[in-house]
Amino acid sequence: MRTLAVCACLALTGACASVALAAAAKQTPAQRAVDRVVLRASQVGPGTITREIPHGREVAGVSTLDLCGQTFRSEKMRVARVQLSWIRNTGGGPFLSNEVVAYKPGGAAMAMRELRAAVRSCPKGFVKSAIPGAGMIKNQFDPIKGQFVPNSLGLIDHITEKVGKKTLRFDSLLVYQVRGNVLSAVYGFGVVQLPLVVHTAAQSAKNLKKLRL
């Protein structure tokens, strides 16, 4: 968001390209990798606008994995991340998100092992989410399948959340894919979005396959 704003201001002076090149030069290889993999609006579909979420490039103090109240040791192996969301150009709030994370060697594979273990051992009752502000959560899973990278993990997470005296029920759509030291996760909400999530996760798989290992 900030880079786009700066470029818009400098475009008339011809300085935009030099600003972009200077920013790219300061990026680490891990940061360049996550930027190459993250989905573009054109891959999500026509009529969408990209938004970088608040703290979308931070690692410290921001969680990537939170499922079934489990602890994910792989979180400490993250070295770079970016998370974007998309809105319709006709208005409305975010309807889809893509988070791409680069890890120290072995970290992405560990993250996938921990995710699978969390699903297998997920408590049948309510557990406390590690996300600040979230209530007590109960999870129930169905699989999501598509043209993803090998050993991917796709889930429809049927969530029941208790916040104070209120009980909320909603479906979270999650597709996790890994190649090398990079994990790409596509998030959506509501089963009605399942075809879109399958489509965008397949596009994410194409981006991952272009990475040089």
Side-chain angles (χ1 to χ4, degrees), residues 66-78:
D66 173 53
L67 201 63
C68 297
Q70 301 297 308
T71 298
F72 293 88
R73 294 183 297 116
S74 58
E75 294 286 90
K76 294 182 179 180
M77 298 185 71
R78 298 174 300 161

Side-chain angles (χ1 to χ4, degrees), residues 71-89:
T71 298
F72 293 88
R73 294 183 297 116
S74 58
E75 294 286 90
K76 294 182 179 180
M77 298 185 71
R78 298 174 300 161
V79 294
R81 65 181 285 273
V82 61
Q83 186 169 5
L84 303 180
S85 64
W86 289 272
I87 63 173
R88 303 290 187 191
N89 60 11

Side-chain angles (χ1 to χ4, degrees), residues 3-207:
T3 301
L4 290 175
V6 170
C7 286
C9 292
L10 297 177
L12 294 178
T13 69
C16 185
S18 62
V19 170
L21 289 172
K26 294 180 180 179
Q27 284 188 316
T28 66
Q31 290 168 334
R32 288 195 291 271
V34 298
D35 280 340
R36 283 195 296 267
V37 170
V38 72
L39 289 164
R40 301 329 189 232
S42 60
Q43 293 180 293
V44 176
T48 60
I49 301 173
T50 304
R51 291 288 184 266
E52 188 169 308
I53 69 167
H55 311 294
R57 290 188 176 272
E58 296 178 14
V59 173
V62 179
S63 297
T64 293
L65 305 182
D66 173 53
L67 201 63
C68 297
Q70 301 297 308
T71 298
F72 293 88
R73 294 183 297 116
S74 58
E75 294 286 90
K76 294 182 179 180
M77 298 185 71
R78 298 174 300 161
V79 294
R81 65 181 285 273
V82 61
Q83 186 169 5
L84 303 180
S85 64
W86 289 272
I87 63 173
R88 303 290 187 191
N89 60 11
T90 53
F95 64 90
L96 193 79
S97 180
N98 180 210
E99 181 176 11
V100 182
V101 182
Y103 294 78
K104 296 177 183 177
M110 177 189 292
M112 290 298 290
R113 290 195 300 271
E114 291 179 328
L115 280 167
R116 294 183 188 282
V119 172
R120 287 195 304 268
S121 61
C122 194
K124 296 185 181 298
F126 287 88
V127 295
K128 178 61 178 175
S129 171
I131 300 298
M136 300 294 292
I137 290 179
K138 181 168 65 174
N139 309 83
Q140 182 180 348
F141 300 107
D142 284 320
I144 296 176
K145 296 182 179 180
Q147 295 181 346
F148 311 145
V149 300
N151 301 315
S152 60
L153 178 63
L155 302 168
I156 302 176
D157 187 1
H158 305 286
I159 296 173
T160 304
E161 181 179 8
K162 290 184 177 180
V163 183
K165 295 182 179 180
K166 294 182 179 180
T167 299
L168 308 174
R169 292 180 176 83
F170 54 95
D171 296 321
S172 180
L173 310 181
L174 315 166
V175 180
Y176 299 96
Q177 303 180 85
V178 161
R179 189 165 187 263
N181 297 316
V182 176
L183 177 147
S184 177
V186 172
Y187 310 125
F189 292 95
V191 176
V192 67
Q193 289 200 23
L194 181 58
L196 178 61
V197 168
V198 170
H199 163 75
T200 51
Q203 296 299 308
S204 179
K206 292 180 180 179
N207 292 354

